[in-house]
């Protein structure tokens, strides 16, 4: 930091830092400042504690509660550091990652704030240095008499201890003391950490009003606001209570007004009630009279039904007589029909005997004829058999001559057959060996093919196992995968997904590294290699199937893997293994590798062994940060980012490697090799099939030739037997010929058979006449039967008609009997009902002359009586039922009305007094609020005009004091462009507006110090310069509260006015100590420093 020794400094201080920066981070910083003779620059360097006094400006006294010293021990990245801010503007400079925000965290936590006020880690233990078990924050504040030293000791178990001036205190005691000093680290209008800068624009008008009032309002102003809110709520409650009482009073008065008319209706109701009772007394007698009339009518109907039944019974006599007569005639015809049937059966039996005799004669004649023909055929057969025997004898003679010749030649042929036999056996053995060898080859190939298929099934099962956790944790991606597997033919190129299903690492132990470092969105993404497939996948899966998936489109060809350094340099020195993109197997598809390169930067991620230590990691970050973004070891991931400012410092985020859940090693190269092996084995087997068929055919031919040779040899060996068998056959044939040489003499037998056949034919011709007579008798009997059946049909039809009429009479009789019985029952029921109703009527109201006279004045029919009762009861219901104590209730309501009217008078007086109190308190509070907002509006508008923009602050009033709010309006785009500040504004606009609003509060604030962290990051150079100059002017005015501006960089040629203190955090290997820094100053600067310290 060679240029700072040329500055004229009022108060240099030093800050120690825990990190070991790289040489790049120690590069010279060139600052071109104006007016440095009146400013104080503090160089914060490592390992040298601050021992300097609080800087001061002539004529400026530090406010009570302002910070004069901060000391940190084992706090985040600091081991030990101590520095002393100035009483006015403190500009904390330093590149990103050097520890500026750590100072903000220390101020928040050391002054009673909670981790949520910072917006970083949620637990207090996370702020202890990761190598230590405890640390502390010690802050010295300006007190009314003596300075107040607040110390907070924090531990890894999320516990804290609080001290004030070296004494152990409770957190409440510390917070109460700080509240009296108006320290407000949770108020965004006073204390704005980097992580909460964006929240300022999101504040509601009510929240901004409360924060502003708390920050700049006078003592008691916030209490008055809270009191007004409470009084307004109490007033609402009183008004609600009065409204309810007035409603109750109105209801009571209305009820009593109704009672006056109800008393009159009560008397009318009693009259109607008495008339209803009389009608109900008469009604049973009217019911009896109606029932008695019904009984008389039922008696008449009963007698008429009995008379009709008797008349119907008398009408059925003639039909019954005709039915009996018809049955007698039908019986006589039935007997005649039976006689004719018997005659037909007798004639038919006679006909059957004649027919049987004809058949017997025909059979006997045919038998005689057939036997005669057989005898004639036997002689012809004898002649033909002799001819066959002679032919056979000639053939046997020829065979005998040939056999005797062959017997002579058999000796030479046997030798040839033996030689052929030996050659055939040798060839058979050779073929059998070849066949056995081929069978062994087939078995070996089949076994190898079965082993390869088993290996393929095992590898495929690993792939299926990978789908189980995907189905459980990535349900949408799993459903899309199932669809893609069934519809892959719809795409031009192969679509991959989900991505983690295609990740195949060389070493299963490295699967957890991949799952930890690659984001979930990438792991569950589907990868396309062209836009057409991406459109199809989006339309079919996301739009039609309603499955939400991530899609990535990359080029199909492998990307070039750029390396910024040689891995061999890192292996030996830092125990590195490889680059992360080298973890994947060679069979991992190129598009999958392209996704990992583009979206996860796997080519810049270093994989270390389990021997890589944190020191190795720090060394890699220090010397090779430009080439490496992340380091992963089997247990830990180290992710770091590089600042874009200053020395380009590196900040490291460390977290553990998660166990692998999804990636299981699938040796796709092995799968492909197994498939190729199976295909090769199938090809070998197919290639051997023709040879196998040839061997089989050769073996079959050999067996045929061997069998022929064996038969030939067997034929030679049996030649003698053959000669003997031929001689024996010749002898047999000669004997057989001698038997057939004797002629047959069957002439007499043939003549006898012919005579018998002629006699049978003559006897058969005599029978047809007798048979015809039998047929004539049968036909006559059939005609008689037919005539009887016709007559019986007519009688049966007449009988059926008679029976139908009798059935109708019987059905009518049953109907009349049921009707007579029903009429009898109805009469008995009507009689019993009439008697019962008369008894009930006498019981209800015994008949007398007076009663009869009373009844004569009432309606006579049941309809009229029921209508009159219903009318009277309806009128009674409309009047409702009165209680006897109706007058007592009326008086009771009058008393309640008087009491409510008295209470309402008292409550009206109370509300009037309450409104007077609210108006009185509002008269004290509202002008001050209006004056405060008017002042803020004036400053806000003035500061915006200074940067050629528009700004205005508006106070929103409301009947409910809790709804009062403040709305800042800003306009950055010319005249008439004012709009409410919100998240719709750009980041730079929000930053400028927030800074100017806080500057507008500076002249009114009661807080001893204020802080803004890196708010100038989103501003352009013009706005940043104007805002800084405005801020330096406002914060360096006399009696201004202490102000901290945290920033990683400033523009050149800024004007640094009196009272400004610069705290510059430096890191790197080229630090100098405090003494070396002072010794490098000019003598004039050293004398000025010494005079200030004295």
């Amino acid at each position: 930091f060679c240029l700072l020794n040329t500055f004229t400094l009022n108060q240099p201080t030093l800050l120690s830092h825990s990190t070991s920066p790289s040489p790049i981070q120690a590069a010279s910083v060139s600052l071109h400042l104006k007016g440095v003779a009146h400013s104080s620059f503090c160089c914060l360097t490592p390992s040298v504690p601050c021992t300097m006094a609080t800087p001061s400006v002539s004529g400026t006294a530090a406010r009570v509660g302002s910070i004069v010293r901060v000391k940190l021990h084992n706090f985040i990245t600091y081991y030990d550091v101590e520095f002393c801010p100035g009483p006015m503007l403190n500009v904390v400079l330093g590149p990103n990652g050097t520890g500026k925000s750590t100072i903000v965290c220390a101020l928040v936590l050391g002054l009673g704030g909670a981790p949520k006020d910072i917006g970083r880690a949620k637990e207090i233990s996370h702020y202890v240095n990761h190598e230590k078990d405890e640390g502390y924050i010690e802050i010295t504040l300006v007190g009314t008499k003596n300075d107040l030293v607040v110390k907070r000791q924090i531990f890894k178990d999320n516990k804290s201890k609080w001290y004030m001036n070296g004494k152990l205190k409770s957190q409440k005691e510390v917070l109460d003391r700080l509240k009296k000093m108006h320290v407000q680290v949770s108020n965004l209008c006073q204390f704005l950490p980097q992580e909460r800068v964006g929240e300022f624009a999101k504040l509601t008008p009510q929240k901004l009003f409360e924060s502003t009032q708390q920050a700049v309002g006078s003592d008691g102003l916030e209490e008055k606001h809270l009191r007004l809110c409470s009084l307004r709520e109490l007033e609402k409650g009183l008004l609600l209570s009065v409204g309810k009482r007035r409603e109750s009073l109105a209801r009571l008065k209305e009820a009593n007004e109704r009672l006056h008319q109800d008393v009159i209706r009560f008397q009318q109701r009693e009259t109607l009630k008495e008339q209803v009772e009389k009608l109900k007394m008469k009604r049973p007698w009217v019911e009896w009279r109606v029932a008695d009339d019904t009984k008389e009518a039922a008696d008449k109907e009963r007698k008429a039904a009995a008379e009709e039944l008797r008349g119907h019974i008398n009408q059925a006599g003639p039909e019954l007589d005709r039915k009996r007569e018809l049955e007698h005639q039908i019986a006589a015809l039935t007997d005649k029909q039976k006689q004719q049937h018997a005659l037909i059966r007798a004639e038919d039996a006679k006909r059957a005997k004649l027919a049987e005799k004809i058949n017997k004669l025909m059979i006997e004649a045919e038998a005689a004829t057939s036997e005669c023909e057989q005898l004639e055929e036997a002689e012809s057969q004898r002649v033909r058999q002799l001819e066959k025997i002679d032919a056979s004898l000639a053939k046997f003679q020829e065979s005998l001559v040939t056999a005797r010749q062959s017997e002579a030649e058999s000796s030479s042929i046997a030798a040839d057959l033996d030689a052929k036999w030996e050659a055939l056996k040798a060839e058979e053995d050779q073929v059998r060996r070849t066949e056995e060898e081929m069978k062994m080859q087939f078995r070996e190939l089949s076994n190898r093919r079965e082993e390869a298929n088993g290996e393929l099934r095992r590898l495929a099962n690993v792939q299926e196992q990978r789908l189980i956790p995907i189905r459980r944790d990535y349900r949408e991606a799993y459903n899309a995968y199932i669809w893609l597997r069934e519809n892959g033919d719809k795409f031009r190129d192969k679509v991959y997904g989900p991505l983690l299903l295609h990740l195949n690492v060389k070493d299963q132990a490295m699967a957890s590294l991949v799952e930890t470092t690659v984001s979930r969105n990438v792991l569950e993404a589907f990868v396309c290699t062209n836009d057409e497939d991406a459109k199809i996948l989006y339309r079919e899966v996301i739009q039609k199937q309603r499955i939400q998936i991530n899609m990535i489109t990359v080029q199909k060809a492998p990307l070039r893997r750029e390396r910024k350094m040689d891995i061999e340099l890192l292996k030996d020195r830092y125990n590195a293994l490889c680059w992360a993109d080298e973890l994947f197997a060679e069979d991992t598809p190129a598009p999958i590798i392209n996704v990992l390169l583009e979206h996860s930067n796997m080519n810049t991620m270093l994989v270390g062994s389990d021997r890589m230590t944190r020191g190795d990691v720090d060394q890699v970050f220090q010397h090779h940060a430009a080439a490496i973004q992340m380091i992963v070891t089997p247990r830990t991931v180290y992710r770091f980012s590089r600042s874009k400012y200053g020395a380009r410092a590196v900040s490291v985020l460390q977290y553990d490697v998660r166990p692998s859940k999804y990636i299981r090693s699938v040796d796709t190269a092995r799968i492909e090799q197994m498939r190729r092996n199976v295909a090769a084995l199938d090809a070998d087997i197919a290639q051997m099939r023709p040879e196998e068929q040839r061997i089989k055919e050769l073996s079959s031919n050999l067996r045929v030739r061997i069998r022929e040779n064996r038969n030939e040899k067997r034929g030679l060996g049996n030649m003698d037997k053959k000669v003997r068998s031929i001689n024996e056959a010749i002898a047999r044939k000669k004997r057989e010929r001698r038997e057939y040489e004797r002629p047959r003499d069957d002439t007499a037998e043939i003549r006898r058979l012919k005579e018998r056949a002629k006699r049978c034919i003559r006897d058969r011709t005599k029978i047809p006449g007798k048979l015809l007579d039998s047929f004539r008798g049968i036909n006559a009997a059939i005609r008689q039967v037919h005539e009887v059946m016709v007559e019986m049909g007519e009688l049966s039809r007449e009988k059926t008609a008679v029976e139908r009429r009798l059935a109708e009479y019987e059905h009518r009789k049953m109907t009349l009997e049921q009707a007579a019985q029903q009429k009898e029952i109805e009469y008995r029921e009507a009689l019993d009902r009439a008697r019962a109703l008369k008894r009930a009527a006498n019981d209800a109201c015994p008949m007398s002359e007076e009663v009869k006279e009373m009844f004569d004045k009432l309606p006579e029919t049941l309809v009229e009586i029921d209508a009159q009762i219903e009318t009277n009861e309806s009128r009674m219901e409309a009047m409702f039922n009165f209680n006897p104590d109706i007058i007592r209730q009326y008086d009771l309501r009058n008393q309640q009305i008087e009491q409510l009217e008295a209470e309402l008078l008292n409550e009206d007086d109370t509300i009037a007094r309450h409104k007077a109190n609210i108006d009185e308190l509002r008269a004290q509070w509202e002008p001050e609020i209006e004056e405060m907002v008017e002042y803020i509006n004036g400053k806000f508008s003035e500061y915006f005009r200074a940067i050629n923009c528009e700004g205005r602050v508006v106070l929103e009033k409301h009947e409910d004091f809790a709804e009062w709010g403040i709305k800042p309006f800003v306009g950055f785009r010319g005249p008439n462009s004012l709009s409410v500040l919100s998240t719709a504004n750009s980041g730079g606009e929000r930053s400028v507006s927030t800074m100017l609003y806080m500057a507008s509060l500076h002249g009114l604030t009661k807080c001893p110090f204020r802080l803004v962290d890196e708010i100038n990051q989103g501003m352009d150079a013009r706005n940043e310069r104007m805002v800084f100059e405005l801020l330096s002017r406002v914060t360096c005015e006399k009696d201004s509260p202490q102000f901290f501006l945290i920033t990683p960089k400033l523009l050149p040629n800024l004007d640094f006015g009196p009272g400004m203190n610069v705290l510059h955090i430096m890191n790197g290997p080229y630090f100098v100590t405090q003494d070396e820094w002072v010794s490098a100053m000019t003598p004039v600067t050293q004398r000025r420093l010494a005079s200030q310290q004295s």
Side-chain angles (χ1 to χ4, degrees), residues 17 19-27 46 98 622 647 1066-1072:
H17 197 283
T19 60
S20 300
S22 64
I24 299 175
Q25 294 170 314
T98 56
Q622 179 178 353
M1066 301 171 57
N1067 55 13
Y1070 304 113
F1071 288 127
V1072 296

Side-chain angles (χ1 to χ4, degrees), residues 99-294:
K100 300 184 303 303
S101 296
T102 302
I103 295 175
V104 179
C105 297
L107 295 179
V108 174
L109 298 177
L111 296 176
K116 65 181 180 60
D117 296 327
I118 302 173
R120 285 192 172 188
K122 297 180 179 179
E123 303 291 344
I124 188 69
S125 61
H126 294 166
Y127 293 90
V128 180
N129 190 287
H130 68 279
E131 297 178 355
K132 305 295 181 181
D133 295 328
E134 59 88 23
Y136 65 79
I137 307 164
E138 187 174 284
I139 300 175
T140 302
L141 305 175
V142 176
T144 54
K145 294 182 181 180
N146 299 316
D147 289 349
L148 174 66
V149 180
V150 178
K151 178 180 178 182
R152 183 177 188 177
Q153 190 174 11
I154 54 180
F155 301 91
K156 280 287 189 180
D157 57 358
N158 283 324
K159 294 182 179 179
S160 299
K161 288 185 179 180
W162 293 86
Y163 299 88
M164 282 197 305
N165 293 330
K167 296 181 180 181
L168 184 64
K169 299 289 183 180
S170 66
Q171 184 178 5
K172 185 178 183 304
E173 291 176 320
V174 175
L175 293 179
D176 291 343
R177 183 67 179 275
L178 293 175
K179 185 176 181 180
K180 293 178 181 178
M181 292 182 172
H182 303 295
V183 175
Q184 303 173 8
V185 293
S186 61
N187 190 339
L188 293 183
C189 289
Q190 300 289 19
F191 205 94
L192 196 59
Q194 176 184 354
E195 287 77 8
R196 301 187 67 190
V197 168
E199 294 183 20
F200 187 87
K202 300 177 183 178
L203 290 177
T204 63
Q206 292 77 24
K207 187 64 179 176
L208 182 59
F209 176 81
E210 293 174 4
S211 299
T212 303
Q213 178 181 244
Q214 185 182 15
V216 302
S218 62
D219 293 339
L221 189 63
E222 185 180 7
E223 287 75 8
K224 290 177 183 178
H225 181 218
L226 295 176
R227 176 64 177 161
L228 282 171
C229 295
S230 175
L231 289 174
R232 181 64 75 191
E233 290 298 321
L234 183 58
E235 181 186 13
K236 291 180 181 178
L238 288 172
L239 291 173
L240 182 61
S241 175
V242 168
K244 291 181 178 179
R245 290 181 185 274
R246 292 190 187 280
E247 291 177 0
S248 298
L249 179 61
R251 285 195 299 269
L252 290 173
K253 287 183 176 181
E254 183 181 358
N256 262 9
E257 288 176 358
R258 288 196 304 269
L259 284 180
H260 182 69
Q261 297 295 328
D262 290 344
V263 171
I264 297 174
R265 287 196 294 270
F266 177 74
Q267 295 173 353
Q268 296 174 350
R269 189 176 186 279
E270 290 298 319
T271 301
L272 293 173
K273 183 178 180 182
E274 182 181 356
Q275 189 176 8
V276 168
E277 290 175 354
K278 291 179 180 180
L279 290 168
K280 289 182 178 180
M281 289 167 64
K282 183 178 180 179
R283 194 178 189 284
W285 285 104
V286 176
E287 286 181 340
W288 167 77
R289 188 172 67 247
V290 173
D292 190 64
D293 294 341
T294 303

Side-chain angles (χ1 to χ4, degrees), residues 376-428:
E376 293 175 351
E377 180 63 26
E379 180 61 20
S380 301
Q381 183 72 21
R382 184 184 68 82
V383 174
R384 287 194 298 273
Q385 190 65 29
L386 282 174
E387 293 175 355
K388 289 182 179 180
I389 291 171
D390 292 340
S392 297
L393 284 172
K395 288 182 179 180
F396 280 131
Q397 291 295 338
E398 293 177 0
S399 298
L400 182 62
V401 173
T402 303
R404 286 174 178 171
Q405 293 175 354
S406 298
E407 186 178 8
E409 298 173 355
S410 61
S411 57
S412 61
I413 295 173
D416 293 339
L417 290 176
D418 291 338
K420 289 181 180 180
W421 174 264
E422 294 299 329
L424 288 173
K425 292 297 291 183
E427 187 177 357
E428 183 185 24

Side-chain angles (χ1 to χ4, degrees), residues 6 139 203 213 237 264 356 496 551 555 640 780 934-935:
T6 62
I139 300 175
L203 290 177
Q213 178 181 244
I264 297 174
E356 184 179 0
Y496 304 89
M551 295 170 50
Q555 70 179 41
F640 62 96
E934 184 179 357
Y935 174 83

